[in-house]
Amino acid sequence: MPHEMPLAHPLTYVRESLLQMGVRRFADHLCRHGKKLGHNLATNRTTVWKWETWGQVPDRAAQAVIADLLGIPPEYARPDTWPLWLPVWEVTGIHQPWTQAGTVEVLSDLVRGGHMDRRGFLTITGASLSALAVSWAEAPAAFASAAEGDRVTDRMLTSLEQRVTSLRDLDAEAGGAKLLEHARSDLALITTMIKSARCTETVRARLHSLAAEVAHLTGWMAYDSGLHSVGQQYYVAALRSARTAGDENLGAFVLAEMGVHASDGGHNRERATLLETALERRTGSLSALSRTYLYLHLAAAKAQLKDHRGASVALQRSLGLWDRVEKERPAWLGWFGESQIDSTRGKVALWAGRPAEATRYLVSSVTASAPRDRAVRAGRLAEARLTGHDLDGALDAATHGVKLLEGGVASGRAVDRLKEFSGRLKRYDTPAVRDFQDRLRALPVVEAA
């Protein structure tokens, strides 16, 4: 079921809420952007007013420019579907109030709509993404009074927690594409309980924590399947649910994960801003484990921005905190350990131009990882070895990743990473290179189930 459109025209909503532009500024910006793309638009404020007020349809050139401005691939912006292709529902989650009711509305919208149709681009970027982190940091924890309905027992909660743990374990083994519908079903169940069950505020807080965990898992699985925009929506819901539950550490973790999405979309500065906001505004309420995780991600973000000194400082802070982390940790971060730390150390070294050091850490990371992560990190290890002029070692690592994908691991990220590595092999024409590329091309397309 599609999300109900706001009363304003979808373009009005996108222009004001997403782009934060008035009519005249939007028209001028559209003309300038059009020239860069080879389109000489005659768009002015009256043109935009007619689109939004009279329902006139922009011509193909204007729609192509609008789509490019929003980062929407042409295949999603078909002129015959105007204005339905505009990303209206995809930004509504960041405008709901930070209250129990706002959180439930965002969860309910996801459960109703599914939102499984958009691939490959992000719709929450720039100032909106940065503002989301500030909103999370400043919002009060909120609990609602119990609603009429069945009572939630400890046994029910324990059963749900076990389901989430099993789902997380399966994801690490097989990849998220095969499990996406299972995660969405669990989120629907938890959302229904939040809306209608009879329970104490303590139990409701646990339900919201579970909703946050499952929403994060669903977003993670969507991201792993190449559904980036969809993944963002679930992450927004997870962030809200964690805040409603009063779980600062879970919220900070979700922000860090949102940063990975942003980085993959080329928004590295926004990623750093998300992490710095969480660290600066909530440091006193975050555990050593959470700060370890945040600083580790900040190191990767700084390295991608070529701020190698900043990356080194963040990495050292992360490693110093890691020595103080207690063995007991929340289930949603129970998987975090040396292999993830070595993976980031390897990336930071690689992007700083130290391939030998990068290879050492990445070998350690791949060896200790679960199957899906091994498939993903194999591509990075292959890149490091190729940068160090070790073609045979690079192919060994990349082929290992292909074998895992041939053996049943389903991860769009792993495929994309290996394709990126394959693009670096143009100067090499050997039987081993051709064999690897043939096997990579033969891999089945990863589809979300």
Side-chain angles (χ1 to χ4, degrees):
M1 180 189 299
H3 188 288
E4 182 180 348
M5 291 292 186
L7 293 178
H9 190 280
L11 182 60
T12 306
Y13 191 86
V14 169
R15 175 176 55 77
E16 294 179 351
S17 299
L18 185 60
L19 299 177
Q20 299 179 344
M21 292 183 182
V23 174
R24 185 186 300 278
R25 184 183 170 204
F26 175 71
D28 292 343
H29 193 67
L30 208 60
C31 289
R32 288 195 299 272
H33 197 71
K35 286 183 180 180
K36 294 178 182 178
L37 301 176
H39 297 294
N40 292 317
L41 303 181
T43 306
N44 55 37
R45 63 184 303 276
T46 302
T47 311
V48 176
W49 182 78
K50 288 180 179 179
W51 292 343
E52 297 181 0
T53 306
W54 290 4
Q56 288 190 359
V57 178
D59 61 26
R60 286 179 174 270
Q63 289 197 44
V65 175
I66 293 171
D68 191 80
L69 184 65
L70 296 172
I72 298 176
E75 60 267 28
Y76 296 108
R78 300 199 320 272
D80 60 309
T81 62
W82 172 272
L84 297 180
W85 58 260
L86 290 170
V88 173
W89 63 262
E90 296 180 8
V91 298
T92 57
I94 64 176
H95 295 292
Q96 288 288 349
W98 286 78
T99 61
Q100 165 87 11
T103 296
V104 172
E105 177 59 29
V106 171
L107 288 170
S108 299
D109 178 60
L110 285 173
V111 170
R112 284 195 305 266
H115 303 328
M116 302 309 294
D117 58 339
R118 296 185 183 272
R119 289 179 178 267
F121 65 97
L122 300 178
T123 50
I124 307 174
T125 59
S128 295
L129 188 62
S130 301
L132 183 66
V134 175
S135 297
W136 166 80
E138 295 180 346
F143 298 96
S145 59
E148 290 296 322
D150 294 336
R151 184 172 66 88
V152 180
T153 65
D154 285 340
R155 184 175 179 179
M156 293 165 64
L157 283 171
T158 300
S159 176
L160 283 171
E161 288 164 350
Q162 290 172 345
R163 284 170 65 107
V164 175
T165 298
S166 297
L167 195 62
R168 189 179 292 110
D169 291 343
L170 286 169
D171 168 69
E173 289 294 318
K178 298 178 179 179
L179 302 165
L180 195 48
E181 274 306 311
H182 295 285
R184 291 186 63 243
S185 296
D186 282 358
L187 183 61
L189 172 63
I190 295 169
T191 299
T192 300
M193 293 174 68
I194 289 172
K195 292 172 66 176
S196 61
R198 179 163 45 90
C199 57
T200 64
E201 289 190 354
T202 300
V203 169
R204 192 172 297 278
R206 287 179 66 186
L207 282 172
H208 271 289
S209 288
L210 277 172
E213 290 187 47
V214 177
H216 163 260
L217 265 176
T218 311
W220 166 253
M221 291 171 181
Y223 167 60
D224 198 30
S225 306
L227 297 163
H228 292 182
S229 185
V230 172
Q232 275 194 320
Q233 291 306 298
Y234 284 100
Y235 275 17
V236 171
L239 190 66
R240 286 180 169 278
S241 295
R243 197 72 192 91
T244 300
D247 194 332
E248 306 290 349
N249 292 294
L250 180 52
F253 165 72
V254 173
L255 276 180
E257 297 289 285
M258 291 188 76
V260 176
H261 282 225
S263 179
D264 278 5
H267 305 283
N268 295 309
R269 197 164 300 283
E270 287 93 333
R271 180 188 187 185
T273 299
L274 286 177
L275 296 162
E276 288 167 345
T277 297
L279 285 164
E280 291 170 3
R281 299 193 180 221
R282 289 289 174 179
T283 297
S285 57
L286 297 179
S287 68
L289 176 62
S290 291
R291 284 180 287 144
T292 297
Y293 194 78
L294 290 170
Y295 275 119
L296 193 69
H297 278 256
L298 183 59
K302 294 286 189 180
Q304 285 182 305
L305 290 168
K306 301 189 184 305
D307 178 6
H308 300 303
R309 182 179 182 281
S312 178
V313 170
L315 183 58
Q316 290 308 311
R317 287 180 178 173
S318 178
L319 295 173
L321 286 162
W322 179 242
D323 293 335
R324 294 159 44 191
V325 170
E326 297 180 358
K327 292 183 179 180
E328 292 296 324
R329 60 187 63 183
W332 43 265
L333 204 50
W335 51 268
F336 177 63
E338 295 288 347
S339 67
Q340 287 75 32
I341 291 174
D342 283 344
S343 175
T344 299
R345 294 177 83 170
K347 287 185 289 188
V348 169
L350 177 61
W351 295 332
R354 304 191 300 271
E357 179 184 344
T359 297
R360 185 170 70 254
Y361 284 122
L362 290 169
V363 166
S364 175
S365 176
V366 170
T367 302
S369 297
R372 192 270 315 286
D373 288 341
R374 284 207 307 273
V376 173
R377 293 169 187 168
R380 187 76 70 195
L381 174 58
E383 178 188 352
R385 283 177 168 168
L386 189 65
T387 303
H389 308 292
D390 179 7
L391 176 61
D392 291 340
L395 288 173
D396 283 345
T399 301
H400 177 63
V402 169
K403 287 179 180 178
L404 288 166
L405 294 166
E406 290 172 337
V409 172
S411 172
R413 289 186 308 128
V415 173
D416 289 345
R417 187 72 56 76
L418 289 169
K419 286 182 177 178
E420 182 180 344
F421 165 73
S422 179
R424 299 172 183 268
L425 298 175
K426 294 179 180 179
R427 56 182 289 196
Y428 304 99
D429 185 17
T430 68
V433 168
R434 292 194 294 272
D435 178 64
F436 160 72
Q437 292 178 326
D438 287 343
R439 291 176 69 174
L440 181 61
R441 281 191 291 267
L443 288 174
V445 176
V446 176
E447 293 287 352

